[in-house]
Amino acid sequence: YEDGKFFRPPGYAFFLMLFYLISGFKLELTYLLASYAQILLDTASIFLVYKIVLLLSNNIKLSLLSALVYCIYPFSLVWTPVLYAESPSLFFMFLTLYLLVKEKGKYNYILAGILMGFNVLLRMQTIFLVPALAYYFWRKNGNLKIFFQKKYIYFFLAFGLTYGSWPLRNLCY
């Protein structure tokens, strides 16, 4: 299909490429390493869910409950070792949210923007989180001037450059 290059994002291929290089170009070892990495990322996601909810609510019980709910998420229990973009995508989404909620310095916003851009390249449907984040920024600060604060510009610029490179490349070829 002529426009097929527009519909398959390259993020998971880049994720697997890292393990392909580490394994010395051995495909079977690549799959094994990527599977273990996904298990580790999914485990780290449990901790990130806990920290995000704790930072937002300052309620330890709610944070523990949220982490428990993520622990029993069927994809976490059954599909994590299977090579799908689900585990890395959720990890990068939670890491992005954690960096934004933690809010320490412009580098967190730049890194969060890069991670969110890569996350969209893993799973396209996560792009809907970007307007939700814009709404969160607006509600947190209460006015539209927030979009002109440097930290938010850093986030959206880093996101735009990371994600935007793929559609731009597709338009050029």
Side-chain angles (χ1 to χ4, degrees):
Y1 181 63
E2 177 62 27
D3 290 331
K5 60 188 175 191
F6 287 97
F7 303 119
R8 186 172 303 268
Y12 198 65
F14 281 118
F15 177 77
L16 288 177
M17 181 183 67
L18 172 70
F19 299 102
Y20 188 62
L21 294 173
I22 291 170
S23 71
F25 308 107
K26 296 177 181 137
L27 207 51
E28 200 166 305
L29 185 56
T30 298
Y31 297 149
L32 184 65
L33 291 174
S35 180
Y36 287 140
Q38 286 187 184
I39 292 168
L40 290 174
L41 292 177
D42 205 47
T43 303
S45 292
I46 297 166
F47 176 73
L48 288 171
V49 167
Y50 170 79
K51 290 299 283 186
I52 291 166
V53 175
L54 185 63
L55 287 168
L56 289 173
S57 70
N58 205 21
N59 185 333
I60 292 175
K61 287 181 181 179
L62 181 61
S63 301
L64 288 171
L65 179 63
S66 301
L68 177 65
V69 167
Y70 183 77
C71 284
I72 61 173
Y73 174 55
F75 263 90
S76 295
L77 292 172
V78 180
W79 289 104
T80 296
V82 178
L83 295 179
Y84 286 113
E86 177 87 9
S87 293
S89 173
L90 287 171
F91 172 77
F92 288 118
M93 179 186 70
F94 290 135
L95 186 56
T96 298
L97 293 174
Y98 173 72
L99 289 171
L100 292 174
V101 171
K102 183 180 164 191
E103 247 190 83
K104 298 288 182 206
K106 71 178 179 184
Y107 295 111
N108 276 6
Y109 285 88
I110 293 170
L111 182 57
I114 291 168
L115 292 172
M116 190 64 216
F118 183 68
N119 191 31
V120 173
L121 292 175
L122 279 167
R123 297 188 73 205
M124 287 297 298
Q125 59 267 43
T126 60
I127 199 164
F128 295 111
L129 186 57
V130 176
L133 289 172
Y135 180 74
Y136 169 75
F137 296 151
W138 173 68
R139 291 291 295 169
K140 184 177 173 193
N141 294 292
N143 60 33
L144 291 176
K145 291 181 185 178
I146 60 109
F147 292 106
F148 300 105
Q149 293 178 8
K150 284 186 180 180
K151 59 186 180 182
Y152 301 121
I153 291 173
Y154 290 140
F155 171 79
F156 287 110
L157 188 61
F159 167 76
L161 290 172
T162 305
Y163 167 70
S165 60
W166 176 58
L168 184 62
R169 176 226 170 249
N170 289 339
L171 288 174
C172 293
Y173 287 104

